[in-house]
Amino acid sequence: MKLFANVLGAVLGLSLAGASQAGDGFDVVVLGARGGIEDGNLSAFMISPAGDNRAVTCDAGSLVNGLRVADGKGVFDAVEVPADSPYTRIGYVLTETIKGYLVSHAHMDHLAGIVIASPDDSKKPIYGLPSVTAAIQDTYFNWQAWPNFAFGGKAPQLKKYALTDLVPGQKRPLDGTAMEVTAFPLSHGGTESTAFLIERGDDALLCFGDTGPDEVEKSPRMRDIWAAVADRVKAGQLKAIIIEVSYTNSQPDEYLFGHLTPAWLQKSLAELEALAGAGSLKNLPVIVSHVKYSLKKGTQPTEAILGELEAGNALGLRYIMPEQGMSFRF
């Protein structure tokens, strides 16, 4: 069963020439595109090998609403729900197609979808660094903020989600899928966040949680990740990067709160190119996540951020500003 139809690139006005053919690369569905206050559209990317319907999400700020929006845009038209299934198509994708969740950190805009969907979800793992799984257990699944759907913590344990610790820099399988993951710690304004290198064979996709620039965070975390993936870039095996840009370049460094601007992202990506070789990032897709929704008059910051990224695009990257419900194959 082929899950994703790659039909929404045209909506973006993007040429996907050179994108992977069926069985190559990854399918990505945007379940939540934004950061901050836009409830119902918060960081969540559903990722599976191209042509393989066994998926995980990178973060899960929004789940059910993201699935509804994507379904309304035809992304799941090819999903065949068995006649004996009690589920709608959205319910079937949530409970059967999504095999687990990668959670970068325990801020609400990155895991609220899991918490809200938990009563009707199926059993599956939640993957995270030990600091993240501990925060999920202690902060949410504690019978105060929410019933305990985990295996540990306060009784009774409802034993739906296996909180599964990832060892930094150590690859492990993503259960029930054909993919593997390696977690890399990030610095997010005093909170440990995570970047996930998702691999299937020789293909790789890198999905970042929230992160500040190394220079502002006084940390080498982003450079360490670039060093770890530089050989993948040289070999043309890194299919795409999903990374946050929360603010425009007008945001002062002291008010970044562990986030990036276009200028800081481009400075950091220049370090990756220096490690991987001149011209190695040309046409590499960079999906821009976590832009903060604004309540102020005027245009949303997505336009300004994309404009600043394009204006400073000396490396020839293919910047993509996604909207909820869009589908891509990389």
Side-chain angles (χ1 to χ4, degrees):
M1 177 178 66
K2 183 176 182 292
L3 174 57
F4 304 125
N6 186 28
V7 295
L8 294 174
V11 176
L12 281 174
L14 294 169
S15 171
L16 297 181
S20 302
Q21 300 302 309
D24 252 347
F26 298 90
D27 286 320
V28 177
V29 178
V30 184
L31 301 184
R34 302 287 176 257
I37 65 172
E38 193 176 355
D39 54 306
N41 185 20
L42 298 172
S43 297
F45 294 85
M46 182 176 169
I47 300 166
S48 68
D52 183 334
N53 65 319
R54 297 169 295 170
V56 295
T57 72
C58 178
D59 282 325
S62 299
L63 280 178
V64 173
N65 192 61
L67 292 169
R68 290 174 60 192
V69 173
D71 190 53
K73 293 183 177 180
V75 172
F76 302 125
D77 282 355
V79 173
E80 297 176 6
V81 180
D84 60 352
S85 172
Y87 291 111
T88 65
R89 188 161 56 192
I90 293 166
Y92 185 80
V93 173
L94 175 69
T95 60
E96 301 296 331
T97 296
I98 297 176
K99 303 297 186 182
Y101 306 112
L102 298 167
V103 177
S104 64
H105 61 296
H107 286 170
M108 283 292 289
D109 57 337
H110 293 261
L111 56 73
I114 298 172
V115 175
I116 298 303
S118 57
D120 294 321
D121 202 357
S122 57
K123 287 187 176 182
K124 61 191 66 168
I126 297 174
Y127 302 95
L129 294 174
S131 66
V132 179
T133 57
I136 293 171
Q137 179 72 83
D138 296 343
T139 306
Y140 303 105
F141 296 144
N142 57 17
W143 286 109
Q144 293 180 353
W146 204 251
N148 183 11
F149 283 96
F151 281 70
K154 188 175 180 180
Q157 297 101 3
L158 301 180
K159 297 183 178 180
K160 179 170 286 188
Y161 297 131
L163 298 176
T164 304
D165 289 341
L166 299 176
V167 178
Q170 183 173 308
K171 187 188 301 185
R172 65 146 292 155
L174 289 167
D175 296 344
T177 80
M179 299 178 289
E180 298 174 303
V181 68
T182 307
F184 297 93
L186 293 170
S187 182
H188 172 40
T191 297
E192 185 174 57
S193 182
T194 319
F196 300 105
L197 181 66
I198 300 169
E199 299 175 86
R200 192 277 301 265
D202 291 335
D203 294 336
L205 185 148
L206 186 58
C207 185
F208 281 75
D210 292 353
T211 183
D214 283 351
E215 291 89 338
V216 176
E217 296 288 315
K218 310 301 182 187
S219 163
R221 294 287 175 81
M222 291 191 72
R223 184 173 178 82
D224 289 347
I225 295 168
W226 300 144
V229 304
D231 286 345
R232 289 285 205 181
V233 175
K234 288 179 187 177
Q237 296 170 344
L238 186 66
K239 300 299 182 181
I241 298 172
I242 302 171
I243 192 164
E244 71 123 285
V245 182
S246 294
Y247 300 112
T248 65
N249 287 333
S250 63
Q251 189 81 354
D253 287 352
E254 59 267 32
Y255 295 115
L256 289 178
F257 306 115
H259 294 294
L260 295 174
T261 63
W264 277 120
L265 174 60
Q266 288 165 330
K267 184 175 181 180
S268 187
L269 287 170
E271 293 183 340
L272 173 57
E273 189 196 52
L275 292 166
S280 57
L281 300 187
K282 188 174 177 61
N283 294 322
L284 179 68
V286 176
I287 302 93
V288 180
S289 68
H290 207 265
V291 176
K292 301 277 192 173
Y293 179 82
S294 176
L295 294 173
K296 296 180 180 178
K297 294 178 179 178
T299 59
Q300 286 297 316
T302 49
E303 288 185 37
I305 286 173
L306 186 58
E308 289 175 351
L309 287 168
E310 295 292 2
N313 190 12
L315 304 178
L317 294 148
R318 182 154 63 92
Y319 288 111
I320 299 169
M321 185 65 70
E323 295 296 336
Q324 188 176 39
M326 287 180 169
S327 168
F328 304 93
R329 178 166 289 179
F330 299 111

